[in-house]
Amino acid sequence: MLAGYFTMESPTPNHLRTIKLWPPSHGTRLVLVQRIVKNLTSPSILSRKYGILSKEEAEEEAKQIEASAFTIANQHFEKEPDSDGGSAVQTYAKESSKLMVEAVKRGPKPKSEPESEPVPDSLTPQHEQETFFDISGGKRAFIESEEAQELLKPLSEPGNKYTKICFSNRSFGLEAAHVAGPVLSALKQQLTEVDLSDFIAGRPEAEAIEVMTIFSSALEGSNLRYLNLSNNALGEKGVRAFEKLLSSQSNLEELYLMNDGISEEAAKAVCELIPSTNKLKILHFHNNMTGDDGGIAISGLVKESPILEDFRCSSTRVGSDGGIALAESLAGCVHLKKIDIRDNMFGIEAGIALSNSIPVFTNLTEIYLSYLNLEDEGTLALVNSLKDSDSPLEVLEIAGNDITSESASAIAACVTAKKATLVKLLLSENELKDEGSIVIANALKDDFEKLTEVDLSTNGIRTAGAKALSNAVVDEGVDDVKEIFKKFESVLGPMDENDPEGEDYDDEDDDVEDGDDNEDELGSKLKDLEIKQEE
């Protein structure tokens, strides 16, 4: 089921009218169910804690989630029958997201076992299933010494089997840290996963640094596979407060340092302190103020991570020099499956540098290249390289890069080359206009086995481009899009008046009524529905 998003600008003042966004068509509802299934069966921070659902369970949950969300949203709409349905769409998306999280937290259903004689309590191994200790649930709040003693009591019980701990979402003060320190020190040899994300919120800097130092000393010498220090505003001082912990880790497989104020100096400190990243598979640096020099420092860490599979360095203020360094360092990571470097200032040269590394990524399934200032030159280099690569690409995001119709043929060739695996194509907020969108629409008429989402919104698309894109989607057999156009023929105006060449019109002549941007709002509200991870 293909969901397409594109915004059309009408050349004729009276051909575009406000349309109702509610209720969604049957096809749109099915697309949402599929998206929920994908979220419920994909690894995430929540699924790490609660377990991942099987496809069969996810499909059942997804149907129930969508039905419940639809009912709630419909009740909301019935109270505002004269509205365009935008608030109902928001409710639909919000309820779906909330119910997804609840489903993940319930975890997979226990497998049914054949009936047998009950085992006497004396023969049942204590704490057999208790391997994950998590205090992150409930309201975000400060935790002081008395509450810490009560909460952490299970970690002190003799013979416990805890190997994973999560202290996220609870802010430890100095007294609580002094309670936690000895507990963690006694437990550290059996720990493999530690989540200390967002565990000092609201504390004064001096106290926060001391708390981090206590935790670091307590966990020094542990043999962790997973470490999450995100959302702690670390900066260089915070990174160095964790010196004892970081410098004792040589077997990390996953490291998360997101939204941590990782400056150039902090990035250099991370690289300096961690003795080895030979086993690192996931490295996330999202939403920091790393900059060019920090990007260059991180590139050194990447070079020492030969089995890296998932690299995220998005929204980190990295410019051309840092981008080039990162792109070149990634060439040594031949096992990469996912690259997310969105929202940086890479520019054309960094894009070209990355294109030179792409041929080695034979396992690449997702690449996120939006908002990198690539322009046509950088885009052409990248999509040509992706087209010729052996990667089973599923997601290609390249929005907001000032891409014009000059790149359209190369993009079309790339997506055609990946038609057997491609699931999502995001090209929004560019300058493709009718000329470029028609070229891409023609490519989409091919047989795409898995493609479910194409987004070309905010590309200056007019009637001819919209017609070509809608025809491409209809040719794929998308009944919901046909129904939309059947109900709202005036959205495109009479087809016999279309300019087949997609000729531009002066903006000053486009005096359309309010509502011309509403036609793709339903899609835009639902298209990015996902279980949010550590942003």
Side-chain angles (χ1 to χ4, degrees):
M1 184 67 66
L2 179 61
Y5 307 97
F6 55 92
T7 304
M8 188 197 73
E9 299 173 11
S10 172
T12 314
N14 296 320
H15 281 168
L16 192 59
R17 299 184 178 91
T18 302
I19 68 173
K20 290 283 189 182
L21 297 169
W22 192 265
S25 69
H26 177 66
T28 298
R29 294 182 66 181
L30 287 178
V31 168
L32 181 60
V33 170
Q34 291 172 355
R35 197 161 294 135
I36 294 171
V37 170
K38 183 176 180 182
N39 276 296
L40 294 178
T41 55
S42 298
S44 67
I45 297 302
L46 287 178
S47 70
R48 174 179 297 282
K49 298 176 184 178
Y50 303 106
I52 196 162
L53 275 65
S54 68
K55 187 176 180 183
E56 292 75 19
E57 284 182 276
E59 286 174 347
E60 187 61 33
E61 287 278 6
K63 290 173 186 175
Q64 294 177 12
I65 288 168
E66 189 282 329
S68 297
F70 178 84
T71 300
I72 293 169
N74 205 46
Q75 290 171 350
H76 178 91
F77 179 70
E78 286 173 356
K79 295 176 184 176
E80 302 176 349
D82 296 328
S83 77
D84 67 354
S87 59
V89 170
Q90 267 189 325
T91 301
Y92 187 41
K94 187 189 240 182
E95 286 297 320
S96 297
S97 183
K98 182 185 82 173
L99 292 170
M100 270 200 299
V101 172
E102 290 176 2
V104 173
K105 286 188 174 181
R106 284 195 298 271
K109 295 176 183 177
K111 293 181 179 178
S112 57
E113 299 290 344
E115 290 189 10
S116 58
E117 293 295 321
V119 179
D121 289 341
S122 59
L123 300 179
T124 304
Q126 290 187 348
H127 308 288
E128 185 176 44
Q129 301 302 321
E130 296 178 7
T131 61
F132 184 70
F133 181 82
D134 183 6
I135 61 171
S136 66
K139 291 181 66 176
R140 189 180 186 204
F142 282 12
I143 177 173
E144 303 302 341
S145 58
E146 288 185 7
E147 186 181 3
Q149 287 174 357
E150 186 63 28
L151 279 174
L152 304 184
K153 190 178 294 183
L155 296 178
S156 301
E157 292 179 1
N160 76 74
K161 302 295 182 182
Y162 292 113
T163 60
K164 308 172 187 179
I165 60 170
C166 177
F167 287 0
S168 181
N169 201 44
R170 305 300 296 272
S171 179
F172 280 76
L174 197 53
E175 291 182 2
H178 282 303
V179 171
V183 174
L184 292 177
S185 184
L187 191 71
K188 65 184 176 184
Q189 295 305 327
Q190 67 190 57
L191 292 177
T192 60
E193 300 188 10
V194 170
D195 186 343
L196 297 178
S197 59
D198 192 24
F199 85 120
I200 51 165
R203 302 292 180 179
E205 181 182 294
E207 182 180 14
I209 294 294
E210 195 166 349
V211 168
M212 288 187 280
T213 302
I214 291 170
F215 274 77
S216 174
S217 297
L219 292 168
E220 180 183 12
S222 55
N223 188 19
L224 303 181
R225 304 290 184 271
Y226 170 99
L227 178 61
N228 190 344
L229 300 177
S230 300
N231 302 312
N232 283 315
L234 296 177
E236 184 186 8
K237 291 180 181 178
V239 171
R240 294 199 178 278
F242 277 109
E243 178 175 359
K244 289 184 177 180
L245 171 59
L246 291 173
S247 61
S248 65
Q249 302 305 308
S250 296
N251 293 309
L252 282 176
E253 295 177 6
E254 301 183 36
L255 176 62
Y256 300 86
L257 294 167
M258 300 188 290
N259 193 29
D260 268 334
I262 301 293
S263 61
E264 169 194 337
E265 293 77 14
K268 289 178 179 177
V270 171
C271 300
E272 169 195 328
L273 294 176
I274 298 179
S276 174
T277 54
N278 281 335
K279 297 183 179 179
L280 200 63
K281 294 181 179 179
I282 299 177
L283 177 61
H284 283 198
F285 270 98
H286 168 72
N287 197 28
N288 285 299
M289 50 184 187
T290 313
D292 257 356
D293 288 338
I296 292 171
I298 293 171
S299 72
L301 198 65
V302 172
K303 282 181 183 177
E304 302 300 322
S305 308
I307 63 171
L308 195 64
E309 296 178 1
D310 181 346
F311 177 63
R312 187 178 188 187
C313 195
S314 50
S315 302
T316 50
R317 306 183 189 181
V318 175
S320 181
D321 290 344
I324 291 170
L326 285 171
E328 291 175 347
S329 67
L330 288 171
C333 304
V334 299
H335 300 281
L336 271 171
K337 297 178 180 177
K338 180 178 178 180
I339 301 173
D340 185 349
I341 49 176
R342 286 174 285 189
D343 190 23
N344 284 299
M345 299 171 284
F346 277 29
I348 294 170
E349 291 184 7
I352 293 172
L354 182 59
S355 73
N356 293 330
S357 299
I358 280 175
V360 305
F361 306 146
T362 56
N363 299 308
L364 189 67
T365 58
E366 300 178 36
I367 187 164
Y368 300 85
L369 303 169
S370 298
Y371 311 107
L372 292 178
N373 298 328
L374 296 173
E375 301 182 29
D376 282 319
E377 190 176 350
T379 299
L380 284 167
L382 283 161
V383 296
N384 284 331
S385 188
L386 285 166
K387 178 196 70 174
D388 296 333
S389 73
D390 294 329
S391 61
L393 196 64
E394 296 177 6
V395 177
L396 172 58
E397 287 202 8
I398 193 164
N401 277 296
D402 295 322
I403 303 169
T404 73
S405 58
E406 182 182 333
S407 299
S409 294
I411 293 171
C414 177
V415 299
T416 300
K418 303 299 178 184
K419 65 183 181 181
T421 56
L422 196 64
V423 174
K424 178 179 179 180
L425 174 64
L426 178 60
L427 293 164
S428 58
E429 298 184 54
N430 283 302
E431 300 292 333
L432 290 167
K433 299 190 176 178
D434 276 4
E435 184 181 353
S437 62
I438 289 170
V439 171
I440 291 168
N442 288 335
L444 294 178
K445 291 179 180 179
D446 212 330
D447 183 19
F448 285 81
E449 299 174 9
K450 299 182 179 179
L451 189 62
T452 58
E453 184 176 334
V454 177
D455 188 347
L456 280 93
S457 59
T458 320
N459 262 287
I461 299 172
R462 296 177 183 272
T463 304
K467 179 183 177 183
L469 286 163
S470 63
N471 284 342
V473 174
V474 170
D475 287 342
E476 284 286 310
V478 183
D479 295 332
D480 55 325
V481 175
K482 288 197 288 187
E483 286 300 314
I484 288 173
F485 290 152
K486 204 179 288 180
K487 292 177 184 177
F488 308 111
E489 293 177 357
S490 60
V491 170
L492 294 180
M495 292 303 179
D496 56 2
E497 294 181 9
N498 287 341
D499 175 6
E501 298 302 320
E503 187 174 319
D504 280 346
Y505 295 82
D506 292 335
D507 290 341
E508 61 190 26
D509 293 334
D510 296 342
D511 186 23
V512 295
E513 298 176 8
D514 288 342
D516 58 344
D517 291 328
N518 286 349
E519 65 188 84
D520 66 332
E521 185 172 339
L522 177 58
S524 66
K525 294 288 186 190
L526 301 177
K527 66 182 178 179
D528 291 325
L529 187 67
E530 62 180 350
I531 298 171
K532 298 296 182 186
Q533 300 190 24
E534 317 103 320
E535 297 292 340

